[in-house]
Amino acid sequence: MRLKVASSQGELWLELPEHASVNVGQALQSVKDGNPEAYRRWCDSQGRLRRSLAVFVNGEHVRYRKGMETELSDGDEVYIIPMIAGG
Amino acid sequence: MSGGYMGKILNVNLTTGNIEEEPLGEELCRDYIGGYGVGARLLYDRIPVGANPLGPDNILGLVTGPLTGTPAVIGSRFVAVAKSSKTAGGWGDANCGGHFGPHLKFAGFDGVLFSGAAPKPLYLFINEGKPELLDAGDLWGLGVTPLEDLLMQRHGKDIQMCSIGPAGEKLSLTAAIMNDKERAAARSGLAAIMGSKKLKALVVKGRMKVPLHDRERIKELRKNILKQAGPFFEIVHNYGTCGITHDSALSGDSPVKNWGGAGTVDFPSERARRISDKAVVDLEGYKAYACWGCPIACGGKVVQRSGKFVLELNNGVGHKPEYETLCMFGTNLLNDDLASIVKINEICNNLGLDTISVGATIGYVIECYENGLLTKGDTDGLEMTWGNAEAIVAMTEKIGKREGFGDVLADGIKVAWEKLGRVGTEYAVHIQGEEIPAHDPKFTPGLASTYLLTATPGRHTQGGELIIPPGLEIPEGDKHVYTGKAEIHCKLVSLVEVCNAAGLCLFGYLSYPIQAIPDQLAAVTGWEYDMEEVQKTGMRIFTMRHAFNLREGLNPLTRNVPSRIVGEPPLKEGNVKDVTVDYRTMIREVLETAGWDTRTTVPSEESLRRLGMDFLIDDLARVDVPAVAL
């Protein structure tokens, strides 16, 4: 199974076993080893999504699904957006 | 006097031409720091209650903070303060970067307060501590770009200035006070106050040093703080705020179709990309630009010498548009023509206009036009339809010059709505006359409290849940649960009050650990600061600005609440669909936490004593404000 995890700063692909069951939270955790810099940007030291970020699956806020427990399927895109003020 | 301050302000009476230096009191600075804080405290005493904002009794202050012009990260800011004619005669302020603020201090002063009104156009020139009022008859009518060029020829290239363009001269409430040709103290309509005083510019020149309590400590702090840049730094360093336009359009943070649409439906990814991040910094001739002493350099110059929207000033070089401008003239108007927004930016900067207010006002006009409430007969023949870039550019220029229909729109949505016979009330998205910036409370619910309760309504830079600094512990929880958030909201608002008052840039605040604020204040001033003291001081400033409004009889609970920004009714599509913000609960809890009456918003005697504001107790006991049930 392939998943895309992206933000405005770039994107990366996760290769997972076929038919694996993985949710948004687990997908972000799986970034930790291969891309620690991106992981640090997205998750705090306890492994929680940083409060200043919002997560979308295929363009839809995870709030309208099952939050970080939203199950992902092959080809899904997890997109991470910072909540920041612009001037 | 403590470090960080030049130790004096200048009082300039424009009616008489009298100029007097005034020492800046140490207690005043300790309690209110600078900027909005010192400005509000001084103007509370000096502007008579009920004064006409556009009359001689109003006072316009241009004020720095103790960290402005010091090695602190990032001390580039100054503020404008006055009674605002835009927001019902209440408190007005605006904040700006660039190079003017530090150089005002290098010329010898922490701030200048302008009272009275000149009989003919003037400008103030401060040269190494020596102020002089000069005739501006030949400058009146000039745009900001030719004005800055001319004054540099006259006084030398080492001057800095802030000024108004033709929009401010014509008292437009959408006008902005400008510096560096392209930086704006835009909100609260304060350029109109400057115009009413016939003050074209404040020009400064000087090489004085800002006193520092502990020079080595602040230098060491700067070095260490810069090493701790967080993720926000990366975005704004690489792109400026245009780096978030695409994401914010899709997340539901940006206004789309005059706050009535959804990004994912009405302005989808491929369109949002055209006015965002790489599309902007890939513009011809892009070159990053920094305010004074700033390591981020979020600004940028671009070149546009061909196509439909050629830049006519500075040999075709303009400033790249930033997030607010890209949204208010882009997502908000369904306009993905980036070249048109670059052109609009040039027009607004040169005529001296607030891009938030003008973009919002045109959004109102387009929605009225699309729904048959306005016709070409009203709009000087312009077809005001969604995404019609040529018409939007043309209308922007008309607003800046107060020409034709632009004269109807030049004071913003509220005045235009009244002049047009109150048509399209649902489309008139403003709070108490202030157009709302490009951040949606349905996406960040705490913003509803900021927009509706802070002394200056509809402002995204006044703190709250949109602006969370690194290193601040925030309780976990669903942002769409509306209760139990007041304590953190008050903390966030207070911290931003101090950041603004100190003369620091919010982008530094968002890029580096929050501990940098008390550490730098202590190193520069020599006073002891910890987070508790910072928060208490911030709440004092928040209360001071509010007290100005209360004394004018203004209760923020009477402000109109645009139904679209709180989701009444909720959107049916997009990433903030089904959201209705329970702003009443949030505001009630903030009032309770602050110790303010939940119906009148008058602070309790106890809360005033806690903040050391006993002098307000008698004043506020006498105020006549309506009581409102939330």
Side-chain angles (χ1 to χ4, degrees):
Chain A
M1 178 164 80
R2 292 189 88 214
L3 298 173
K4 184 174 164 187
V5 184
S7 72
S8 62
Q9 289 145 303
E11 61 185 49
L12 53 94
W13 287 89
L14 299 178
E15 299 283 351
L16 299 163
E18 209 168 336
H19 308 303
S21 172
V22 61
N23 63 32
V24 172
Q26 291 162 335
L28 290 184
Q29 289 302 315
S30 71
V31 170
K32 191 174 183 179
D33 291 337
N35 200 328
E37 197 184 324
Y39 178 80
R40 188 179 56 84
R41 228 170 14 232
W42 297 333
C43 299
D44 64 18
S45 54
Q46 270 83 51
R48 294 172 303 206
L49 181 76
R50 291 189 185 277
R51 194 186 163 91
S52 58
L53 301 172
V55 178
F56 300 78
V57 173
N58 300 333
E60 185 177 39
H61 198 295
V62 293
R63 183 173 65 248
Y64 298 112
R65 298 189 176 196
K66 290 183 180 170
M68 299 302 280
E69 291 172 8
T70 302
E71 290 292 326
L72 298 169
S73 306
D74 187 39
D76 278 352
E77 181 190 66
V78 177
Y79 196 80
I80 299 165
I81 287 180
M83 286 167 48
I84 54 177
Chain B
M1 186 66 190
S2 148
Y5 299 93
M6 305 311 287
K8 56 189 177 183
I9 58 171
L10 209 52
N11 289 300
V12 180
N13 185 324
L14 290 163
T15 304
T16 62
N18 188 47
I19 302 176
E20 283 181 5
E21 288 187 12
E22 175 185 349
L24 203 52
E26 185 137 342
E27 191 181 341
L28 169 72
C29 295
R30 185 74 175 90
D31 288 347
Y32 295 92
I33 300 183
Y36 298 155
V38 164
R41 181 67 192 92
L42 290 175
L43 268 52
Y44 181 86
D45 282 348
R46 298 179 187 194
I47 298 175
V49 179
N52 174 5
L54 296 172
D57 286 341
N58 199 359
I59 296 171
L60 172 72
L62 299 167
V63 188
T64 63
L67 302 188
T68 307
T70 73
V73 184
I74 303 164
S76 61
R77 312 293 289 190
F78 74 99
V79 304
V81 290
K83 190 173 198 266
S84 168
S85 53
K86 182 160 195 181
T87 53
W91 176 250
D93 54 36
N95 188 319
C96 192
H99 289 75
F100 171 77
H103 283 266
L104 172 56
K105 288 175 78 169
F106 304 156
F109 297 94
D110 294 298
V112 182
L113 304 185
F114 294 96
S115 60
K120 59 176 187 173
L122 296 173
Y123 69 103
L124 182 71
F125 179 39
I126 305 175
N127 187 358
E128 293 287 2
K130 292 180 189 137
E132 187 181 9
L133 279 169
L134 298 170
D135 182 66
D138 59 332
L139 309 177
W140 206 248
L142 283 182
V144 169
T145 293
L147 173 77
E148 290 208 9
D149 289 341
L150 194 152
L151 287 172
M152 281 198 178
Q153 282 171 18
R154 186 176 296 175
H155 296 294
K157 287 195 172 170
D158 53 346
I159 61 166
Q160 296 292 337
M161 70 199 85
C162 68
S163 66
I164 55 170
E169 293 173 9
K170 294 179 181 185
L171 313 188
S172 297
L173 300 184
T174 56
I177 297 171
M178 306 297 298
N179 91 110
D180 274 19
K181 292 183 178 174
E182 290 141 349
R183 294 271 166 187
R187 315 273 25 228
S188 299
L190 298 187
I193 309 301
M194 197 158 159
S196 74
K197 296 186 176 305
K198 291 238 174 357
L199 177 68
K200 181 66 175 172
L202 168 53
V203 181
V204 294
K205 183 176 191 171
R207 285 179 295 181
M208 296 186 203
K209 300 278 187 206
V210 179
L212 301 171
H213 169 72
D214 188 339
R215 181 175 300 276
E216 289 313 309
R217 170 79 177 138
I218 187 65
K219 282 186 174 172
E220 187 64 23
L221 272 173
R222 180 180 175 89
K223 214 161 91 181
N224 289 335
I225 290 165
L226 292 180
K227 285 181 195 161
Q228 299 176 64
F232 182 80
F233 174 89
E234 201 176 330
I235 297 172
V236 284
H237 177 63
N238 290 336
Y239 299 109
T241 53
C242 72
I244 64 168
T245 311
H246 168 270
D247 290 359
S248 298
L250 299 189
S251 71
D253 189 24
S254 310
V256 174
K257 210 176 178 184
N258 194 31
W259 300 89
T264 50
V265 177
D266 299 294
F267 206 75
S269 179
E270 62 271 19
R271 296 192 71 190
R273 280 277 176 232
R274 291 181 198 138
I275 59 167
S276 186
D277 51 277
K278 290 189 180 63
V280 180
V281 300
D282 283 348
L283 285 167
E284 184 187 343
Y286 170 71
K287 191 176 171 192
Y289 151 97
C291 295
W292 184 89
C294 177
I296 295 177
C298 68
K301 306 281 186 186
V302 296
V303 174
Q304 196 159 282
R305 295 190 181 120
S306 60
K308 275 190 293 188
F309 301 110
V310 171
L311 299 184
E312 294 162 68
L313 302 166
N314 291 318
N315 192 27
V317 180
H319 199 289
K320 83 174 156 74
E322 299 297 337
Y323 171 77
E324 294 292 338
T325 309
L326 290 161
C327 282
M328 300 315 295
F329 287 95
T331 60
N332 191 49
L333 308 182
L334 303 188
N335 173 27
D336 59 9
D337 186 329
L338 179 57
S340 74
I341 303 176
V342 172
K343 179 66 183 175
I344 285 163
N345 212 28
E346 180 189 63
I347 293 168
C348 289
N349 288 335
N350 189 51
L351 298 178
L353 288 170
D354 174 6
T355 59
I356 295 174
S357 290
V358 175
T361 304
I362 291 177
Y364 163 68
V365 168
I366 290 178
E367 197 157 4
C368 285
Y369 187 96
E370 292 269 10
N371 286 284
L373 301 175
L374 295 173
T375 68
K376 270 189 189 175
D378 300 303
T379 61
D380 301 339
L382 290 172
E383 197 174 340
M384 298 307 297
T385 51
W386 296 120
N388 186 344
E390 282 98 336
I392 295 166
V393 170
M395 190 57 78
T396 301
E397 188 143 20
K398 280 176 174 289
I399 290 172
K401 293 179 175 173
R402 273 197 183 275
E403 283 178 359
F405 191 58
D407 185 43
V408 176
L409 307 182
D411 295 317
I413 291 175
K414 180 171 180 286
V415 174
W417 171 75
E418 285 165 353
K419 284 182 175 174
L420 292 169
R422 305 193 166 201
V423 298
T425 300
E426 185 191 351
Y427 316 145
V429 184
H430 70 89
I431 302 173
Q432 204 176 30
E434 185 68 281
E435 293 76 18
I436 298 165
H439 295 285
D440 192 332
K442 297 192 293 299
F443 183 69
T444 307
L447 264 180
S449 301
T450 307
Y451 285 173
L452 293 167
L453 194 57
T454 311
T456 50
R459 298 279 294 280
H460 64 300
T461 52
Q462 300 288 346
E465 287 76 350
L466 185 70
I467 305 176
I468 299 175
L472 187 73
E473 286 296 321
I474 301 285
E476 287 299 309
D478 183 345
K479 64 183 179 179
H480 289 94
V481 170
Y482 301 104
T483 190
K485 305 292 175 67
E487 201 171 316
I488 189 64
H489 180 83
C490 289
K491 190 181 278 192
L492 288 164
V493 165
S494 299
L495 290 172
V496 163
E497 289 282 15
V498 170
C499 176
N500 287 333
L504 293 177
C505 174
L506 282 173
F507 291 173
Y509 177 88
L510 283 166
S511 295
Y512 305 103
I514 186 63
Q515 188 59 35
I517 301 268
D519 287 353
Q520 294 186 111
L521 274 170
V524 168
T525 64
W527 292 323
E528 283 182 22
Y529 277 100
D530 56 20
M531 288 304 288
E532 195 180 329
E533 177 64 18
V534 165
Q535 281 164 32
K536 187 176 173 185
T537 306
M539 186 48 73
R540 187 181 299 124
I541 297 169
F542 184 70
T543 304
M544 192 66 244
R545 295 163 71 237
H546 178 61
F548 187 98
N549 285 344
L550 286 174
R551 207 177 50 165
E552 294 288 339
L554 297 170
N555 176 352
L557 302 184
T558 64
R559 289 172 178 164
N560 63 303
V561 182
S563 57
R564 288 181 173 183
I565 68 159
V566 291
E568 291 180 343
L571 289 175
K572 294 190 171 120
E573 295 173 305
N575 277 314
V576 287
K577 69 182 176 190
D578 303 330
V579 173
T580 298
V581 178
D582 182 3
Y583 62 92
R584 294 177 184 87
T585 295
M586 288 193 299
I587 289 174
R588 189 170 53 247
E589 291 189 2
V590 169
L591 293 171
E592 286 165 356
T593 300
W596 296 3
D597 186 275
T598 55
R599 292 164 64 89
T600 63
T601 75
V602 173
S604 67
E605 195 173 317
E606 185 198 345
S607 72
L608 292 171
R609 288 197 197 283
R610 195 166 55 232
L611 296 171
M613 304 178 84
D614 302 39
F615 67 95
L616 283 177
I617 292 171
D618 287 346
D619 277 11
L620 297 188
R622 286 196 298 267
V623 297
D624 182 20
V625 290
V628 178
L630 271 168

